[in-house]
């Protein structure tokens, strides 16, 4: 019989096993070129998964997909400033960041770094699980390299923002915009874009400021970090910078909860007929916003290169460590 042949056991069977192993091991990132994705995101409990299908092709029949032309530039800028400052420089993985993580672990330092690039996070969210293991991480790295080699950077951002979790059972930028601001994603203001990115990568823990319309100091700290990174990286227009400075989230919140430099500021046209004191405030707004965000003396651990590793409070570091990086 064939199963007893030497040729079958030594050559054919091992090749079949290796083939199916690679079919399973390597994430099928190429399917994104089809224009739709069938994947299994997590429910609110973080354990149970459900069936979801999305993509630009599905967007023709559904309003839940936001194409790259409709995604506000500020949302893209905030994502890069928060999660992956070298997004347009690396090939899917950030070697330097990985080296820093290894170095920190070897020194047993308390501070934790998030080393996953946007591309890696996209692979994990679309094709893998949240299991924290070396096997999953290896699959993620291989998938990121393949994805970056086959899909343009702007398209990666489009996919990322349309499948990432923004809260319990809330996946994608459109669903997030509707949940927190009751508007279409394409109408998000720069401030709202920064606010949504600020709750990543642990939206179920960090979304309370948007959910309850009451800003916590931790949320404000995250917002300020991302805002300063946007300014330093020069990836937003002057108009967008001014809106981010005004922190116009589209809902009212207690002014006294904000640091002085982040108090909401009325637009210039609203202060044209006010007294000299208000006119002075207006002129302050018109100063190059780069200078407005250079007050680093009150900002700890400002992120300059990548990832939410720049969040340096003990609470946030613990959250990041347990946020399925």
């Amino acid at each position: 019989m064939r199963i007893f042949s030497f040729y079958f056991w030594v050559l054919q069977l091992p090749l079949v096993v290796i083939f199916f192993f690679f079919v399973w091991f390597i994430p099928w990132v190429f399917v994104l070129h089809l224009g739709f994705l069938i994947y299994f995101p997590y429910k609110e409990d973080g354990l149970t998964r459900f069936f979801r299908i999305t993509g630009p092709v599905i967007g023709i029949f559904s309003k839940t997909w936001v194409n790259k032309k409709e995604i506000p530039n500020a949302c893209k800028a905030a994502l890069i400033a928060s999660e992956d400052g070298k997004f347009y420089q690396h090939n899917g993985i950030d070697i330097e960041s990985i080296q820093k993580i290894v170095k920190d672990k070897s020194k047993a330092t308390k501070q934790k770094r998030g080393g996953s690039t946007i591309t890696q996070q996209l692979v994990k969210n679309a094709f893998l699980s949240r299991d924290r293991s070396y096997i999953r991480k290896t699959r993620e790295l291989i998938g990121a390299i393949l994805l970056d080699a086959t899909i343009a950077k702007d398209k990666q951002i489009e996919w990322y923002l349309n499948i990432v979790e923004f809260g319990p059972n809330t996946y994608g930028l459109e669903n997030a915009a509707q949940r927190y601001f009751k508007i279409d994603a394409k109408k998000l203001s720069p401030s709202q874009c920064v606010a949504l990115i600020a709750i990543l990568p642990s939206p179920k823990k960090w979304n309370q400021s948007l959910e309850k319309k009451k800003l916590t100091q931790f949320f404000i700290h995250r917002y300020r970090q991302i805002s300063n990174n946007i300014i330093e990286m020069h990836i937003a227009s002057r108009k967008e910078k001014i809106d981010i400075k005004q922190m116009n989230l589209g809902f009212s919140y207690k002014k006294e909860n904000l640091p002085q430099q982040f108090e909401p500021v009325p637009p210039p046209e609203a202060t044209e007929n006010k007294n000299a004191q208000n006119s002075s405030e207006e002129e302050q707004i018109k100063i190059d916003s780069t200078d407005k965000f250079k007050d680093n003396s009150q900002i700890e651990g400002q992120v300059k290169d990548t990832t939410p590793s720049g969040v340096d409070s003990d609470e946030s570091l613990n959250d990041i460590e347990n946020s399925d990086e």
Side-chain angles (χ1 to χ4, degrees), residues 253-277:
Y253 46 84
K254 292 184 178 180
K255 186 177 179 180
E256 57 267 24
N257 288 341
L258 294 177
Q260 182 178 359
Q261 61 267 42
F262 260 81
E263 291 183 0
V265 181
E269 59 269 18
T271 60
E272 288 179 353
N273 298 321
K274 292 190 176 183
N275 57 30
Q277 180 179 356

Side-chain angles (χ1 to χ4, degrees), residues 140-160:
E140 176 186 306
L141 292 172
I142 294 174
I145 295 172
L146 293 174
L147 181 65
D148 196 77
T150 57
I151 295 181
K153 293 287 190 180
D154 290 345
K155 200 66 178 177
Q156 291 179 38
I157 291 181
E158 178 184 355
W159 275 101
Y160 181 99

Side-chain angles (χ1 to χ4, degrees), residues 244-258:
I244 293 171
K245 159 65 182 177
Q246 292 173 342
M247 208 174 186
N248 176 26
L249 301 182
F251 56 80
S252 59
Y253 46 84
K254 292 184 178 180
K255 186 177 179 180
E256 57 267 24
N257 288 341
L258 294 177

Side-chain angles (χ1 to χ4, degrees), residues 44-58:
E44 186 172 357
D45 60 13
L47 300 173
T48 311
R49 307 180 75 168
F50 64 95
F51 173 90
R52 184 171 188 251
I53 181 170
T54 188
V57 173
I58 305 302

Side-chain angles (χ1 to χ4, degrees), residues 228 231-234 289-297 299 302:
N228 278 275
I231 301 304
E232 289 191 352
M233 296 170 68
H234 306 291
S289 56
T290 301
D291 295 333
K292 297 294 290 179
F293 286 85
K294 290 300 183 180
D295 182 13
N296 296 334
S297 60
I299 299 177
Q302 196 173 52

Side-chain angles (χ1 to χ4, degrees), residues 163-177:
I163 70 171
V164 70
E165 182 183 22
F166 282 101
N169 300 322
T170 304
Y171 288 85
L173 188 64
E174 181 63 36
N175 291 330

Side-chain angles (χ1 to χ4, degrees), residues 1-18:
M1 295 179 64
R2 179 169 180 161
I3 61 173
F4 294 110
S5 70
F6 178 81
Y7 179 76
F8 174 78
W9 286 102
V10 175
L11 186 60
Q12 286 186 320
L13 183 60
L15 287 177
V16 171
V17 172
I18 292 172

